């Protein structure tokens, strides 16, 4: 058990922890009694909640520049001051106090919001140049021209010290548009050039800073190309860009959210990243490195300090779940090549609960209770190297597939509380990696062995493979103990997964449908798996299910002879000529054997169809737990004559005129608020899209060649497809 001592000296006090190399998260825990020390700066009973940590190393010391959530929580508008914290050992943190607050911004504007004076001291950053410290902060601008939400500037405060005496400049950063872009960030490249980044509302800009650090050199450029309102490479970008360089590779981290991301939670950002060989891109999306932390916002920074990389972020733990009373945290960050391994947030094991069958049982989520209850391990340390569940002796490591149990030895065991929803026959998938033959473990339920898994040599301890066992009978129960009992060790175990045991329709020609939508191939040479609502379904929407070996299947287009494959990283479906990476694990769901999910055998991620993060759109699959995967239904082609169902039940809500049209088509939508309009050609390729927030809109179609098109209008309430003829 780690201890926290508070010591203090006038307005400056430090937080010390017992000897270890990491703090207890959140690492700033100033309680109300501490505020008695400085009644001018603090109000008794008002905890200091911190958010948006920008971590910097100056002169061998690590400084963190966060923002501050005021209590009582209202929203992100109630943020009024900046503090600076520092450490030289990641354990003892010094609060250097408030460096300035909203009332001291000479050009600042206090927005009246919801009856309150909203202060908007949002995420800052600090950079050093030639012995001076430049502190950048976003804030509404309120004199001279106009006032308001959309009139933000990036303020600059300068000091000779990293922790005090910052003087706010009268002039804000020059060379920026007067828009509501936020979250300034500075990156210094090895050649001494400083770069500035900021953004917000799904847009990100970057550019060079002049030597004076007060002005943009030239013009800013947008960091990616938007198509239909979303970035192509900085996928799901929201705000909070942070750039760093490692081994010659530039990384951009940023908060974002999309249902396709692992551990997706609706309404909560996670931290994502992209890489480039240049500080201003183009960027290549890599994925997520930090799961949601309970707040709607996420915001982080990455820094190397004394040879160790760290991820800073915020969570809602100190405020007991209030996402707008945030607190800053730090955990170690590790890399695998140019990939960032998922960060293990301290305290993640608080989430351990009863495991569901059907479902995924993550090996590292054995039940609490310690040695002899949740597990038996041969030694008393975690030899796996991860910092997950360090209070246990189970050997847990981290990989791009996530956490797993390693250094397994005969006689060791792991136990899980389980709930078996249905009495049924199940198939077990065990995700394993090994560099030797002969690994073996048994799966027991309440002491009875239900499966024995022989672990093959998969070609390496990081070469993951699924081993399948069929025909496992289980009786329903809401409280059974599942035990993994290791007979011969030496292998790594990622998870067990139970699904209903039925065979995929090998050799059948099928159509795959979810709701009114089909998996379809959109073009002949770059076959992307996408939702489609063609009327009627065409040959390209039918697939032959091919035996992929090892319990895997592949889908082959009847017409084009292409296979659907899972692209690494972004999980979209594209085509491959037959290859090893075009196979899928076929998981049967609970209701009928025709309802299934698929995940890539290559990336081990559930295949999803990009639905642009709109919750009511079909064909979305996600991978955070088996129960919440989106499911698809397959139909035998020969038994389904009309593949389109329900498609036009809301037909009257949308009208197009004229139709046939030339140059302009007017789309009218009944009672509409917001809707997306997509026009696709008959190959399914989206040729035009527009987001609207009015009942009637004109769309310029003069760039489209004559022919038949489909107009798909999607709002939260309906989804309508209409044919459009362009002359
Ligand atoms: O904390 C206020 C704002 O919320 C930040 O500027 C954003 O990054 C988000 O965390």
């Amino acid at each position: 058990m780690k201890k926290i001592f508070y010591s203090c000296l006038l307005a400056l006090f430090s937080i010390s922890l017992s000897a270890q190399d990491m703090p207890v998260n959140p690492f700033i825990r100033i309680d109300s009694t501490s505020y008695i020390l400085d009644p001018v700066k603090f109000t008794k009973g008002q905890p200091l909640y911190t958010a948006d940590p920008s971590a910097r190393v100056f002169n061998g010391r690590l400084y963190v520049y966060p923002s501050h959530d005021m209590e009582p929580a209202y929203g992100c508008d109630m943020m009024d001051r900046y503090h600076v914290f520092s450490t030289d050992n990641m354990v003892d943190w010094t609060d250097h106090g408030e460096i300035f607050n909203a009332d001291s911004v000479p050009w600042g504007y206090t927005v009246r919001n919801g009856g309150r004076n909203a202060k908007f001291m949002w995420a800052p950053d600090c950079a050093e140049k030639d012995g001076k410290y430049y502190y950048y902060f976003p804030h509404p601008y309120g004199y001279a021209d106009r006032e308001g939400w959309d009139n933000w500037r990036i303020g600059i405060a300068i000091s000779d010290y990293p922790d005090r005496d910052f003087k706010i400049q009268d002039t804000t950063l020059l060379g920026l548009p007067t828009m509501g872009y936020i979250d300034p960030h500075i990156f210094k490249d090895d050649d001494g050039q400083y770069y500035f980044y900021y953004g917000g509302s799904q847009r990100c800009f970057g550019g060079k800073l002049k030597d004076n650090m007060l002005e943009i050199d030239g013009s800013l450029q947008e960091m990616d190309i938007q198509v239909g309102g979303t970035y192509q490479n900085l996928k799901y970008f929201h705000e909070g860009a942070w750039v760093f360089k490692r081994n010659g590779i530039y990384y951009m981290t940023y908060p974002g959210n999309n249902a396709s991301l692992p551990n997706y939670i609706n309404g909560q950002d996670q931290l994502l990243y992209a890489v480039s060989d240049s500080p201003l891109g183009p960027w290549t999306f890599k994925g997520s490195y930090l799961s949601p932390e309970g707040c709607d916002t996420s915001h982080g920074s990455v820094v190397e300090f004394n040879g160790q990389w760290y991820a800073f972020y915020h969570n809602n733990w100190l405020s007991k779940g209030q996402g707008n009373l945030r607190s800053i945290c730090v955990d170690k960050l590790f890399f695998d090549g140019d990939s960032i391994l998922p960060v293990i947030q301290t305290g993640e094991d608080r989430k351990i609960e009863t495991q569901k069958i059907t479902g995924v049982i993550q090996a590292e989520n054995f039940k609490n209770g310690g040695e002899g209850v949740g597990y038996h391990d041969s030694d008393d340390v975690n030899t796996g190297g991860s910092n997950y569940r360090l209070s246990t002796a189970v050997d847990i490591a981290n990989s791009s597939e996530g956490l797993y149990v390693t250094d397994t030895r005969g006689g060791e065991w792991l136990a899980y509380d389980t709930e078996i929803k249905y009495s049924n026959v199940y198939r077990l998938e065990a995700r394993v990696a090994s560099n030797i033959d002969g690994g073996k473990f048994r799966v027991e339920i309440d002491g009875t062995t239900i499966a024995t898994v022989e672990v093959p040599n998969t070609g390496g301890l990081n070469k993951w493979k699924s081993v399948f066992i069929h025909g496992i009978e289980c009786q329903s129960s809401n409280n059974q103990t599942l035990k993994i009992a290791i007979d011969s060790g030496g292998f790594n175990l990622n998870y067990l997964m139970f699904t209903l045991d039925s065979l995929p329709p090998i050799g059948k020609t099928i159509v795959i449908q979810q709701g009114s939508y089909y998996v379809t191939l959109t073009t002949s040479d770059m076959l992307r798996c996408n939702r489609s609502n063609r009327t009627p379904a065409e040959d390209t929407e039918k697939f032959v299910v091919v035996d992929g070996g090892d319990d895997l299947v592949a889908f082959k287009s009847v017409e084009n002879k292409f296979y659907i494959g899972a692209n690494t990283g972004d999980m979209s479906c594209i085509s491959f000529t037959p290859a090893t990476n075009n196979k899928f694990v076929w998981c049967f769901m609970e209701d009928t054997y025709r309802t299934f999910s698929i995940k890539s055998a290559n990336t081990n991620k559930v295949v999803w169809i990009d639905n642009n993060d709109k919750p009511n759109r079909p064909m979305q699959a996600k991978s955070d737990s088996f129960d919440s995967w989106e499911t698809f239904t397959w139909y035998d082609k020969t038994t389904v004559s009309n593949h389109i169902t329900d498609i036009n039940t809301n037909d009257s809500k949308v009208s197009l005129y004229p139709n046939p049209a030339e140059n302009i088509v007017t789309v009218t939508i009944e009672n509409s608020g917001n809707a997306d309009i997509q026009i696709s050609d008959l190959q399914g390729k989206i040729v035009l899209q527009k987001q609207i927030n009015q009942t009637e809109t004109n769309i310029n179609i003069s760039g489209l060649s004559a022919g038949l098109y489909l107009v798909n209008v999607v709002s939260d309430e309906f989804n309508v497809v209409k044919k459009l003829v362009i002359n």
Side-chain angles (χ1 to χ4, degrees):
M1 193 65 183
K2 296 150 187 168
K3 290 182 191 162
I4 304 174
F5 301 98
Y6 295 98
S7 64
C8 38
L9 180 63
L10 297 174
L12 183 144
F13 52 90
S14 59
I15 303 166
S16 304
L17 300 125
S18 57
Q20 55 179 32
D21 64 350
M22 286 295 286
V24 175
N25 276 319
F27 63 90
I28 300 302
R29 293 170 174 237
I30 303 170
D31 62 17
S32 54
T33 51
S34 305
Y35 291 97
I36 301 166
L37 296 171
D38 186 351
V40 178
K41 286 181 179 160
F42 309 115
T43 311
K44 189 180 174 191
Q46 187 180 31
L48 187 73
Y49 289 110
T50 49
D52 309 322
S54 288
R56 294 290 181 187
V57 177
F58 297 134
N59 307 319
R61 196 166 172 88
L62 188 143
Y63 292 83
V64 183
Y65 301 88
S67 50
H68 164 236
D69 282 340
M70 290 163 76
E71 199 183 25
Y74 183 67
C76 280
D77 51 350
M78 301 309 284
M79 303 178 69
D80 64 338
R81 67 184 84 152
Y82 296 122
H83 275 234
V84 183
F85 303 88
S86 75
T87 184
D88 59 4
N89 60 5
M90 298 303 289
V91 176
D92 306 301
W93 291 87
T94 299
D95 178 4
H96 299 277
E98 179 185 310
I99 50 169
F100 59 89
N101 59 47
D103 297 334
S104 55
V105 182
W107 43 265
Y109 172 58
T110 299
V111 181
R112 201 71 191 147
N113 187 33
R116 295 162 185 256
N117 288 328
K119 306 284 188 171
F120 286 113
M121 299 298 269
W122 279 11
D125 193 12
C126 188
E128 182 272 344
K129 182 167 190 283
D130 301 332
K132 288 217 176 296
Y133 297 86
Y134 297 83
Y135 188 94
Y136 298 83
F137 63 100
H139 193 63
Y141 184 84
Y143 61 51
D145 45 12
R146 59 202 179 94
E147 301 176 337
W149 285 81
D150 60 344
N151 190 23
W152 287 57
R153 302 290 164 90
I154 301 301
I156 308 171
I158 305 177
S159 172
D160 291 332
Y161 308 96
D163 55 357
R164 61 185 184 278
D165 294 349
F166 282 96
K167 304 266 176 312
I168 303 172
Q169 307 297 293
D170 281 337
T171 307
T172 58
L173 185 62
L174 296 172
L176 303 177
T178 56
M179 297 285 289
Y181 294 124
I182 56 167
D183 296 352
H185 166 64
I186 308 295
F187 165 70
K188 181 188 178 188
D189 207 348
D190 299 338
D191 61 2
Q193 175 66 53
Y194 287 79
Y195 292 84
F196 172 83
Y197 304 82
Y198 79 159
S201 306
Q202 282 66 47
R203 299 186 76 177
C204 178
F205 303 87
K208 288 182 177 174
L209 268 180
K210 283 191 179 167
D211 269 358
N212 62 15
M213 302 291 274
L214 308 173
E215 235 173 303
I216 300 296
D217 191 356
S219 53
L220 288 181
Q221 67 186 67
E222 188 147 14
M223 291 288 88
D224 194 8
I225 298 162
Q226 290 223 357
V227 176
T230 50
Y231 277 148
Q232 299 299 287
N233 294 326
L234 287 177
K235 289 193 173 191
Y236 324 129
F237 181 91
H238 181 195
E239 55 192 8
W242 181 272
V243 174
F244 66 96
K245 191 174 182 181
R246 178 182 173 270
N247 295 342
I249 298 169
Y250 298 85
Y251 291 77
M252 181 184 285
T253 68
Y254 55 91
N257 188 21
N258 187 276
S260 64
L261 295 166
N263 305 313
Y264 163 79
I265 297 178
N266 190 19
Q268 292 189 20
D269 274 354
Q270 42 188 293
L271 289 178
L272 314 176
Y273 73 108
V275 293
S276 177
D277 55 12
S278 141
L280 296 176
W283 300 96
T284 303
F285 181 71
K286 293 282 287 180
S288 165
Y289 73 95
L290 189 101
S291 300
E293 342 81 351
C295 313
D296 53 349
T297 65
S298 188
H299 192 113
S301 56
V302 169
V303 70
E304 187 180 21
F305 182 53
N306 291 339
Q308 172 67 54
W309 287 89
Y310 294 96
F312 284 80
Y313 57 97
H314 57 227
N315 72 12
N316 64 1
W317 187 81
L318 215 55
S319 64
K320 300 189 174 53
Q322 290 195 68
N324 46 10
L325 282 179
R326 301 163 292 178
S327 299
I328 55 177
C329 300
V330 59
D331 275 302
K332 289 182 179 174
L333 185 76
F334 297 94
F335 294 81
D336 179 8
D338 68 351
S339 299
I340 301 179
L341 293 178
V343 171
I344 299 151
Q345 297 175 36
T346 307
E348 234 163 6
D349 50 338
R350 288 192 300 266
K351 296 174 195 158
I352 288 174
E353 45 193 40
T354 300
Q355 316 284 328
K356 290 198 171 66
I357 294 175
T358 59
V360 178
I361 298 174
Q362 294 291 350
E364 69 279 4
N365 285 342
F366 49 87
K367 68 185 202 178
N368 287 319
E371 168 68 36
V373 178
Y375 66 88
H376 166 61
D377 200 88
S378 314
D379 54 36
D380 54 10
V381 286
N382 172 4
T383 60
S386 85
N387 55 342
Y388 187 62
R389 304 189 75 179
L390 276 182
S391 59
T392 77
V394 177
D395 309 311
I396 302 173
N398 200 0
S399 75
S400 46
E401 277 210 3
L403 292 164
Y404 61 92
V405 169
T406 186
D407 196 10
T408 52
R409 301 182 199 189
E412 293 181 337
W413 53 263
L414 301 156
Y416 308 81
D417 288 328
T418 49
E419 175 193 328
I420 301 174
K421 212 164 167 189
Y422 303 106
S423 296
N424 222 310
V425 180
Y426 290 90
R427 178 190 72 175
L428 170 67
E429 175 190 352
R431 190 75 175 167
V432 293
S434 178
N435 58 2
I436 52 164
D437 289 315
K440 189 164 119 182
F441 65 91
R442 280 166 295 114
V443 181
E444 297 173 0
I445 287 197
D446 283 348
T448 303
T449 297
I450 58 162
T452 300
V453 180
E454 312 266 358
V455 180
N457 182 341
T458 60
L461 283 166
N462 56 1
K463 294 266 185 277
W464 294 98
K465 196 167 188 286
S466 292
V467 175
F468 298 91
I469 310 269
H470 289 271
I472 301 171
E473 275 184 50
C474 295
Q475 300 307 312
S476 71
S477 158
N478 58 10
N479 185 14
Q480 289 186 313
T481 299
L482 182 144
K483 194 167 169 184
I484 296 172
I486 296 165
D487 294 323
S488 310
F491 58 88
N492 290 338
L493 178 61
N494 188 347
Y495 61 79
L496 302 183
M497 179 172 174
F498 289 87
T499 65
L500 298 188
D501 196 3
S502 299
L503 291 174
I506 300 288
K508 285 223 179 233
T509 304
I510 64 168
V511 291
I512 301 171
Q513 184 181 22
Q514 200 279 357
S516 299
Y517 292 80
Y518 290 82
V519 176
T520 186
L521 309 176
T522 56
T523 69
S524 57
D525 55 351
M526 163 63 185
L527 301 183
R528 194 180 156 85
C529 202
N530 207 338
R531 62 181 187 277
S532 167
N533 23 49
R534 300 185 197 180
T535 314
E538 296 174 6
D539 277 349
T540 49
E541 293 164 349
K542 295 169 191 153
F543 304 91
V544 178
V545 182
V546 182
D547 186 350
D550 288 339
D551 265 65
L552 306 179
V553 294
F555 300 93
K556 192 172 75 165
S557 155
V558 171
E559 185 68 6
N560 295 305
K561 308 282 186 289
F562 281 97
Y563 288 74
I564 305 175
N567 196 4
T568 49
D570 72 359
M571 303 291 301
S572 55
C573 269
I574 63 168
S575 74
F576 293 99
T577 49
T580 50
N581 56 3
N582 61 7
K583 312 222 175 101
F584 296 87
V585 180
W586 177 277
C587 302
F588 284 93
M589 309 298 284
E590 291 166 355
D591 48 356
T592 152
Y593 76 104
R594 289 181 181 220
T595 305
F596 67 96
S597 279
I598 50 175
K599 75 178 174 183
S600 160
N602 184 34
T603 63
N604 199 39
K605 289 178 181 169
V606 176
V607 172
W608 65 283
I609 311 300
D610 187 353
N611 71 345
N612 206 16
D613 205 19
K614 295 281 188 305
N616 295 328
R617 290 189 183 179
M619 297 304 291
Q620 157 204 342
K622 62 194 180 88
S623 60
D624 53 348
S625 75
F626 181 72
D627 275 347
S628 58
W629 284 1
E630 189 67 70
T631 60
F632 306 91
T633 306
W634 66 266
Y635 293 94
D636 187 331
K637 168 196 149 198
T638 53
T639 61
V640 179
S641 52
N642 179 4
H643 305 303
I644 301 292
T645 54
D646 296 328
I647 198 72
N648 284 326
T649 47
N650 289 304
D651 208 20
S652 59
K653 292 191 181 292
V654 173
S655 60
L656 309 175
Y657 66 89
N659 192 2
E662 216 176 304
N663 297 325
I664 300 285
V665 62
T666 302
V667 182
T668 309
I669 301 170
E670 187 189 299
N671 319 315
S672 174
N674 299 319
D676 287 351
I677 301 176
Q678 286 185 344
I679 303 184
S680 0
D681 64 18
L682 283 185
Q683 277 70 49
K685 186 176 170 195
I686 297 167
V687 289
L688 222 161
Q689 49 189 353
K690 192 168 179 182
Q691 287 181 320
I692 59 159
N693 54 12
Q694 58 206 34
T695 50
E696 186 169 292
T697 191
N698 289 333
I699 299 184
N700 184 340
I701 47 168
S702 57
L704 301 181
S705 37
L708 179 63
Y709 292 83
L710 294 173
V711 179
N712 184 191
V713 181
V714 183
S715 79
D716 284 348
E717 295 128 41
F718 59 80
N719 188 329
V720 169
V721 181
K722 294 252 166 174
K723 282 183 193 161
L724 170 68
V725 177
I726 299 182
N727 285 333

